[in-house]
Amino acid sequence: FARNVAGVYRNTIDGRMLECNEAMARMLGYEKPADVLPLNAKDSYVDLREREEFIERVRRERSVNAVEVHLHRRDGGPLWLLESVHIVDGDPEILEGTALDITDRKLAETALHESESRYRAVIEQMREGLAQVDNDGVFQFVNDRFCDMLGYTREELIGRNTDELLDSPDDIALSHEKTAAHRRGSSDQYELRMRRKNGRVLWVEVGGAPLLDAGGRVVGSVRIHDDVTERRRTEEALRDSEMRYRLLADYSTDMISRVNVGGTILYTSPAVTSLLGFDVSDLAGRSIFDFMNPVDREVVRLATLTLARRGTLTFSFRVVRRDGTEAWFEATCRGIKSAVTGKLTEIVAVSRDISERKRFEENIEFQAYHDDLTGLPNRTLFRDRLTVALAYARRALRPLALLFIDLDNFKDVNDTLGHAVGDDLLKALALRLSSVIRAEDTIARVGGDEFTVLAANLSSSVDASLVAQKILDSVSQPVVVREHEISVTASIGVAIYPDDGELVETLLTSADDAMYQAKESGRNAYKLCTPAMNRRAAERLSLDIALRSAIEHQEFSLHFQPLFRLDTMATSGMEALLRWQSPDRGQLEPAQFLAVAEETRMIVPLAEWTLREACAKAALWQDTRPGVRLTVNVSPRQFQHNELRQMIIEALEESKLDPALLEIDITSGAAMLHNERTISVMRGLREIGIRLSVDDFGTGQSSLTSLRDFPIDGVKIDRAFVGGIEQSASDRAIICGVIVMARGLELRVTAEGVETQAQLDFLRSCGCDEAQGFLLGRPLAFDAIRSPES
Ligand code: C2E
Ligand code: CA
């Protein structure tokens, strides 16, 4: 209220307050006029010089109107007054004045001024030219940089219209359009040409935004100007040269393309349409690898790496045309490096279709490496492949077989039926042989009636004789050629890497030698090189035959070996171990025949017999040794077969043996295959109510942690560790470790092959549950374990 009323006062010219009204007193910060009287006006001035100038003026002019004076109030706060003062008539020493409080307005003005000067400082330091224009495009404000840019002084620019600086009617139109847009409140960025005072034309990038007043109305716009003349010039130069190159590219019959390092196509010339059938627009942004024969992708990737080091490179690769056919291309590439980082950024390639040339070359190559008649690889290519395969076999530690095949009576065919028939027979046999071998094997024709086969990746050298037998069988089938039914046979020599040689030459010679032995032995046969191998092959064959009749002739029997609890030393179980009493070989142990039985699938009936026999015997011993369980071994291959479960069920039913008394030993190798299947087979077996344990633990790929996932009851520590108890600290450590871990998994631990008291003592001290071994009892025939003295 006080501030809206004028203050009225009288004081002496040197400042002493004589009287004032209440409004005046309030302005100064006092309660009532009387409080103000001791005051001297000089005390209220912020700047005394201002007061002196003011009084000077009053003395001179006698009356002064509307002067702003800056005072401070009683409490020190700012006070701005708008004063009108005159000297009282008749007394030159007395002043009369009126005052209005304009503090609020003044404070607002100062704040504005401060922020404005801060804003100015920012604007003047800007790298860009800044201009403020009104709604018609007339400059209101420009910064120094803008002046420099255009070569005018600030005074020359303010008040001028933007249009006067523009160079072309197009730009004027553009500028108007943008000004109008700003009036509607939108902001944007554009480029136009501006003419400097000296006539030079600049390309300027303008960013404009509407300028609003306090009421939110658009009063003009603020524009930031960036001189982009230099950039524009290089762009244009680039475009010019690009134009020239593009012309070249457009008319070239070669395909010119640009790709980035990752293989994304940036540009291809129109030649791509005639060469590959694609439209230029099909390709941009796609990967070159999409259009490439997968085999050649690696070549191209390598080429990219090479380009990063070398400037240019020429190489060929296969491209897939739009219609799916393939074309050979030869590309000459140049790498383009970034000027800044020096890294390869782009590759420019000039490519041409060289399919015709390639076909020609390939044809020549094919002829050089293949046999004309049969189209099979020839001797040269075969040696080549053999060399490569040997290098691989060496690294993979895998056997490799070389078969040398010679037809037995081919000469007769030629002599009696003529060469044409002979040729056709060779062709027919070549086809047949090719179909017998695996795709990854190589068959070659190395002489008139000689072929060689390279069989790599064999799982065992025994496989080689299987391949040889297959070839013999297929060759001996009659062939119909030009209405003649012809029967031929072959003699085959087999050489195995590494047994019969480690080099191309030695293997070829060995196979050749073996082939002659086959001929001598009466033809239509295969021979291995080494006597040992021939013996092994022969043995295997006769074992196979003998095994087939062994079950019928009741040549198998079971021996039982006891298992003991280590705490009470009571017999806890009996393991059934298979024995074969062969009429011509004597007693055989499992190691001597199980592998062959597995290979020939004889293992299935054998396992069935074992289970029945063992369960029957275990049911019998329940009278005298109740609760003593039966352990039956199961081979890895059996374990993978579904019939196992059914076999066990039948054996249990037949014998009436309590399922809880049957335990199956699974070799750790089979168990550790550890796939879903293994676990589900195990679950299926456990459902019958029988027990499972993992045999030979510690050998092969045994892993204690994977035991956790198996539904099993126990583990058996392999004989090898038990045998090492006295000498090997690490064996002792392993045994203890297995026992501790198995305890945690609640698995029973059985030690196998205990032969000495010291081993037994150690196992007991470690807390092992159960043991088995020659010290405690050898495997014995059923009658022997039943007799009371055992
Ligand atoms: P395994 O399951 O580890 O069986 C224990 C083998 O260790 C038996 O040999 C046994 O005679 C032998 N042995 C036991 N205690 C000692 C000892 O203190 N010292 C020594 N040096 N050896 C001891 P066997 O009977 O020759 O059996 C060998 C393997 O043949 C068995 O190893 C088992 O994996 C397999 N096998 C035995 N019978 C069968 C069967 O009916 N079916 C299948 N699939 N495999 C069987
Ligand atoms: Ca066993």
Side-chain angles (χ1 to χ4, degrees), residues 223-240:
R223 296 172 183 176
I224 309 272
H225 302 77
D226 203 2
D227 182 352
V228 294
T229 315
E230 208 45 49
R231 193 191 78 201
R232 272 277 182 160
R233 197 168 297 143
T234 44
E235 274 175 11
E236 259 158 41
L238 210 68
R239 211 170 300 141
D240 261 15

Side-chain angles (χ1 to χ4, degrees), residues 100-228:
L100 276 176
D101 187 340
I102 56 165
T103 309
D104 287 350
R105 196 191 88 205
K106 264 308 201 185
L107 285 179
E109 272 176 19
T110 327
L112 198 68
H113 179 76
E114 275 173 12
S115 77
E116 202 164 88
S117 62
R118 241 175 298 150
Y119 171 67
R120 283 266 150 87
V122 171
I123 286 170
E124 292 307 343
Q125 281 159 20
M126 277 170 68
R127 202 178 52 79
E128 295 89 357
L130 180 133
Q132 185 181 318
V133 299
D134 67 12
N135 279 333
D136 299 319
V138 176
F139 290 114
Q140 306 288 309
F141 171 80
V142 291
N143 70 354
D144 291 346
R145 174 73 189 113
F146 188 72
C147 300
D148 291 349
M149 217 156 101
L150 291 160
Y152 291 98
T153 64
R154 180 168 287 145
E155 290 67 34
E156 286 171 318
L157 286 173
I158 304 265
R160 271 205 205 200
N161 195 296
T162 323
D163 293 357
E164 296 173 47
L165 298 176
L166 298 181
D167 187 57
S168 76
D170 287 354
D171 290 339
I172 293 175
L174 177 67
S175 175
H176 284 180
E177 183 193 312
K178 297 298 176 187
T179 308
H182 292 151
R183 264 203 300 271
R184 290 192 305 271
S186 67
S187 44
D188 58 9
Q189 200 154 359
Y190 50 98
E191 279 180 25
L192 41 66
R193 279 151 296 187
M194 287 183 141
R195 186 175 291 280
R196 276 176 65 91
K197 190 177 181 184
N198 67 9
R200 233 189 75 196
V201 174
L202 302 177
W203 268 105
V204 179
E205 186 185 270
V206 187
L211 180 70
L212 308 179
D213 70 1
R217 272 169 303 133
V218 179
V219 291
S221 63
V222 179
R223 296 172 183 176
I224 309 272
H225 302 77
D226 203 2
D227 182 352
V228 294

Side-chain angles (χ1 to χ4, degrees), residues 355-661:
S355 305
E356 207 48 51
R357 193 180 91 200
K358 270 284 177 185
R359 241 191 308 279
F360 183 68
E361 284 172 3
E362 270 169 11
N363 207 5
I364 295 214
E365 192 181 276
F366 189 86
Q367 281 170 12
Y369 288 109
H370 290 81
D371 166 42
D372 281 345
L373 180 68
T374 59
L376 291 179
N378 63 12
R379 187 181 282 271
T380 317
L381 181 55
F382 186 79
R383 281 168 169 271
D384 210 50
R385 298 242 174 111
L386 181 56
T387 311
V388 174
L390 275 175
Y392 179 77
R394 222 165 271 145
R395 220 176 329 121
L397 297 174
R398 290 215 135 185
L400 173 157
L402 175 63
L403 280 70
F404 200 104
I405 306 160
D406 190 287
L407 301 181
D408 287 332
N409 23 26
F410 182 69
K411 199 168 166 299
D412 299 345
V413 175
N414 256 350
D415 291 350
T416 56
L417 300 172
H419 283 273
V421 174
D423 283 357
D424 283 0
L425 174 65
L426 284 173
K427 278 197 237 173
L429 287 176
L431 261 178
R432 220 184 245 181
L433 289 175
S434 306
S435 67
V436 167
I437 62 165
R438 295 175 307 178
E440 66 259 40
D441 296 342
T442 299
I443 175 156
R445 180 173 175 232
V446 295
D449 61 350
E450 293 167 347
F451 298 86
T452 47
V453 167
L454 168 62
N457 266 327
L458 298 181
S459 55
S460 82
S461 48
V462 176
D463 290 353
S465 32
L466 292 177
V467 178
Q469 189 59 53
K470 264 204 292 189
I471 291 176
L472 286 181
D473 292 346
S474 102
V475 170
S476 60
Q477 303 292 312
V479 192
V480 178
V481 175
R482 303 192 184 209
E483 288 149 17
H484 301 285
E485 193 182 279
I486 307 169
S487 288
V488 284
T489 55
S491 298
I492 303 176
V494 184
I496 307 280
Y497 163 88
D499 306 11
D500 306 323
E502 305 205 357
L503 303 170
V504 173
E505 284 315 318
T506 48
L507 281 170
L508 281 169
T509 321
S510 301
D512 200 37
D513 288 350
M515 190 273 291
Y516 274 102
Q517 286 175 35
K519 289 252 183 225
E520 277 165 21
S521 79
R523 306 180 166 200
N524 193 17
Y526 69 89
K527 279 278 179 268
L528 298 156
C529 289
T530 51
M533 293 203 71
N534 280 318
R535 215 181 311 122
R536 223 177 301 154
E539 247 169 42
R540 187 184 163 280
L541 209 64
S542 71
L543 251 182
D544 183 18
I545 295 163
L547 265 173
R548 283 174 204 278
S549 62
I551 297 181
E552 279 172 60
H553 296 118
Q554 301 183 345
E555 292 165 16
F556 288 108
S557 65
L558 291 177
H559 281 191
F560 295 90
Q561 186 178 23
L563 292 124
F564 293 90
R565 285 179 61 139
L566 282 181
D567 50 359
T568 59
M569 283 318 275
T571 308
S572 49
M574 290 282 180
E575 175 164 4
L577 297 161
L578 193 59
R579 297 291 178 263
W580 180 14
Q581 189 63 47
S582 158
D584 22 71
R585 287 162 230 260
Q587 171 148 314
L588 296 177
E589 305 213 321
Q592 293 166 286
F593 59 86
L594 275 181
V596 174
E598 283 214 342
E599 266 177 55
T600 57
R601 304 263 304 129
M602 275 301 293
I603 194 77
V604 178
L606 195 52
E608 194 176 352
W609 177 85
T610 307
L611 273 165
R612 284 187 161 165
E613 174 74 7
C615 289
K617 293 282 152 57
L620 281 180
W621 76 54
Q622 294 307 317
D623 318 339
T624 47
R625 299 165 183 251
V628 168
R629 73 174 194 274
L630 164 71
T631 300
V632 176
N633 292 283
V634 155
S635 77
R637 198 171 289 195
Q638 266 170 281
F639 186 68
Q640 298 297 325
H641 282 103
N642 292 324
E643 57 257 62
L644 180 64
R645 189 180 133 106
Q646 196 50 42
M647 265 182 213
I648 293 172
I649 292 173
E650 281 166 19
L652 286 169
E653 275 173 4
E654 209 177 81
S655 62
K656 307 273 180 301
L657 181 71
D658 176 4
L661 292 174

Side-chain angles (χ1 to χ4, degrees), residues 575 633 665 695 716 752:
E575 175 164 4
N633 292 283
D665 267 8
D695 213 354
K716 292 185 155 183
E752 291 181 328

Side-chain angles (χ1 to χ4, degrees), residues 84-99:
S84 299
V85 185
H86 62 268
I87 294 179
V88 176
D89 290 344
D91 189 345
E93 291 301 308
I94 306 290
L95 300 180
E96 263 180 9
T98 51

